[in-house]
Amino acid sequence: MIEVLKADQYTKMLWKNGAGYTLEIARSLGEIEFDWRISMADVTTSGPFSLFPNKQRIITVLDGKGIELHVDDLPARSLKLGDIFAFHGESQVHSELVDGAIRDLNLIYDPAKFHARFQRVDGTEAQTFLSSADLIFIFNSGSGTEVAIEDKTFVLTANETLKIEKTTAITSVHFPQNWSKNCYVIELIQR
């Protein structure tokens, strides 16, 4: 099954720590607890991240000058546009904005139930990859772009997401030449 998730359909919800809002793009079933969730958030002030015990988190900066993350007792990690960073959901994380607000894209998932891949696809060259993931999400953070899945073509506008549920053993994903791409591909493989 393939579905285009429109930006105006995302669910706005308060952060667990109450310090801001997230736009939930998609999540596994379950009212209180989830096995995975993809969301984007506008971070307007420096401060602590919400805790998600027994989960893994992957984050990237979609817009803005960047953010510096202080995770547990590790050296600070500076994230600029397009950088991808993974950390444990129970980690103590404090963020410092580099120069104003940012927008980020987040994947939070249960590593006991899923393996995840999170990558960026950009440029204008044709790109094709094969995936055996159970779920594939292609989030478009740029202007309109085209994506071909097997024999079907989709055009994604800014902040739209293509959700692909595995129907065959291998899924072919193709980004044609001459379309500007600024996408993030998230693959979830059930353990």
Side-chain angles (χ1 to χ4, degrees), residues 104-121:
D104 62 29
L105 180 68
N106 296 274
L107 168 64
I108 303 172
Y109 68 98
D110 184 342
K113 295 180 180 178
F114 287 90
H115 172 72
R117 287 189 293 254
F118 191 116
Q119 60 189 323
R120 185 174 182 199
V121 177

Side-chain angles (χ1 to χ4, degrees), residues 15 20 56 60 65 67 75 94 99 101 112 117 128 130 134 136:
W15 291 349
Q56 182 72 21
T60 189
K65 301 283 185 184
I67 191 168
H94 183 82
D99 184 16
R117 287 189 293 254
T128 300
L130 302 175
D134 297 291
I136 305 167

Side-chain angles (χ1 to χ4, degrees), residues 3-189:
E3 178 183 4
V4 175
L5 307 176
K6 305 279 189 185
D8 62 0
Q9 298 171 323
Y10 300 158
T11 304
K12 185 175 182 179
M13 54 194 341
L14 189 64
W15 291 349
K16 279 177 65 175
N17 66 12
Y21 288 90
T22 192
L23 289 175
E24 188 175 85
I25 295 169
R27 72 184 261 163
S28 63
L29 297 177
E31 289 299 313
I32 298 171
E33 192 62 29
F34 56 82
D35 292 334
W36 58 264
R37 183 181 87 179
I38 300 168
S39 63
M40 80 179 147
D42 292 317
V43 181
T44 58
T45 60
S46 299
F49 272 31
S50 299
L51 296 175
F52 288 90
N54 304 313
K55 299 284 195 277
Q56 182 72 21
R57 294 185 72 169
I58 304 175
I59 186 172
T60 189
V61 175
L62 296 174
D63 192 29
K65 301 283 185 184
I67 191 168
E68 189 169 277
L69 298 181
H70 301 272
V71 180
D72 296 328
D73 295 326
L74 301 173
R77 176 68 187 254
S78 191
L79 296 177
K80 294 182 173 48
L81 189 68
D83 290 344
I84 298 170
F85 180 61
F87 56 96
H88 297 290
E90 61 267 9
S91 290
Q92 296 292 322
V93 180
H94 183 82
S95 67
E96 290 182 36
L97 295 171
V98 172
D99 184 16
I102 65 147
R103 174 169 274 190
D104 62 29
L105 180 68
N106 296 274
L107 168 64
I108 303 172
Y109 68 98
D110 184 342
K113 295 180 180 178
F114 287 90
H115 172 72
R117 287 189 293 254
F118 191 116
Q119 60 189 323
R120 185 174 182 199
V121 177
D122 60 358
T124 57
E125 306 81 27
Q127 297 181 47
T128 300
F129 69 91
L130 302 175
S131 176
S132 61
D134 297 291
L135 286 166
I136 305 167
F137 294 88
I138 300 170
F139 176 83
N140 179 30
S141 66
S143 58
T145 195
E146 185 176 296
V147 183
I149 308 299
E150 305 301 341
D151 59 349
K152 296 177 185 159
T153 300
F154 301 87
V155 175
L156 298 176
T157 61
N159 296 325
E160 287 185 341
T161 304
L162 192 61
K163 176 184 178 184
I164 305 145
E165 291 188 51
K166 182 176 170 179
T167 56
T168 60
I170 302 290
T171 301
S172 173
V173 178
H174 177 71
F175 294 90
Q177 189 163 336
N178 297 329
W179 281 81
S180 178
K181 292 169 278 303
N182 192 4
C183 298
Y184 292 87
V185 177
I186 296 171
E187 297 170 90
L188 291 165
I189 302 102

